[in-house]
Amino acid sequence: NLSVFLADPHVCANPEMKRWLYTQGEFDRRIAEILAMDPLPRNVVCFGDIALWKGWCEDYEASLPGFKRITDAGIELYLTMGNHDKRQVFLKYYPSYAKSSPVPGRIVSVVDLGTCDLILLDSLKEGAPEEGTDNAVDGTIDRAQWDWLKAECMKRTRPFLCGAHHPPSEVTLEADGKRQQGVLSFLRQAPFFRGWIQGHDHAWKTDFIRKNW
């Protein structure tokens, strides 16, 4: 049942961003902490913002050795997109996610956490796909992902969590552009839904927040 959740490593290797290069050392230290665990976790899940700000190639390339140490240790690795990531740039370095995602064009996973499951969504609202361009700060779930999620949740037969980079209150449904307050409203109708996990806030919150329920 042991899994490790990470979020917002913001790995920086772009020489033009010298003041942020310290994030590489922080990332490496967290990887070392995970590999020092006894027993080792079954899964490592990262809730997005792998790149520093604008999805630069250098940042994803710099993240590869650390995450490879995780998979070389026999630990399952699951990544998704945050508002500072770029899907197509990410896939140049992590091409397997294009094949493993159940939703084409999005970085989505279903993670076996032992006694429950985690549906890991892609909430990136991308601007231009090229590196070095800005994205929206808030998130979105496109129509294809939303339709898949509704079907997936209703066929679950044991407890499950949902997760994404963004909190549900910041997620819109791309098809109509309206703030999609229906995410949690829908999920709580699924008999086995037990909670939402997110990154984005840069804070580990240990209290249970009943928001928009």
Side-chain angles (χ1 to χ4, degrees):
N1 298 335
L2 183 60
S3 295
V4 171
F5 294 159
L6 304 174
D8 303 80
H10 289 287
V11 177
C12 176
N14 189 321
E16 296 181 4
M17 308 299 295
K18 292 181 180 179
R19 64 175 293 194
W20 301 104
L21 293 177
Y22 75 89
T23 61
Q24 178 71 66
E26 289 292 323
F27 176 67
D28 291 339
R29 280 188 283 276
R30 301 300 163 249
I31 297 298
E33 287 177 2
I34 294 170
L35 295 175
M37 295 173 68
D38 185 14
L40 289 174
R42 177 179 180 175
N43 305 297
V44 168
V45 182
C46 183
F47 290 80
D49 276 1
I50 298 162
L52 176 65
W53 280 345
K54 299 184 179 183
W56 285 303
C57 288
E58 295 96 331
D59 299 346
Y60 293 115
E61 186 173 3
S63 73
L64 279 172
F67 282 137
K68 186 175 186 298
R69 292 177 66 196
I70 294 294
T71 56
D72 285 350
I75 302 169
E76 296 289 336
L77 176 67
Y78 298 91
L79 308 175
T80 193
M81 298 286 91
N83 56 290
H84 290 292
D85 291 310
K86 293 291 182 180
R87 289 189 190 93
Q88 294 308 310
V89 182
F90 166 83
L91 289 172
K92 290 180 182 178
Y93 298 91
Y94 297 90
S96 64
Y97 284 84
K99 298 179 181 179
S100 63
S101 175
V103 182
R106 294 295 181 268
I107 313 301
V108 176
S109 301
V110 179
V111 186
D112 182 350
L113 296 179
T115 54
C116 66
D117 297 312
L118 168 67
I119 298 176
L120 185 62
L121 301 170
D122 178 348
S123 58
L124 166 60
K125 184 190 291 184
E126 197 168 37
E130 299 83 10
E131 63 172 334
T133 57
D134 289 316
N135 297 321
V137 176
D138 60 336
T140 190
I141 296 177
D142 67 306
R143 172 60 70 180
Q145 189 174 184
W146 177 245
D147 290 343
W148 172 85
L149 175 63
K150 290 191 290 185
E152 185 70 18
C153 288
M154 289 307 181
K155 74 180 186 182
R156 296 275 114 193
T157 58
R158 67 174 189 161
F160 72 95
L161 307 165
C162 274
H165 179 72
H166 294 85
S169 59
E170 294 185 26
V171 172
T172 59
L173 179 60
E174 191 173 276
D176 55 22
K178 298 178 181 178
R179 188 163 295 281
Q180 184 58 29
Q181 298 290 356
V183 173
L184 281 183
S185 297
F186 163 73
L187 287 172
R188 68 177 182 174
Q189 299 175 38
F192 292 97
F193 175 64
R194 294 295 180 266
W196 182 282
I197 301 175
Q198 71 208 44
H200 196 50
D201 293 336
H202 291 209
W204 178 253
K205 299 178 181 179
T206 57
D207 55 329
F208 183 83
I209 301 172
R210 296 184 65 88
K211 186 174 182 181
N212 297 335
W213 282 58

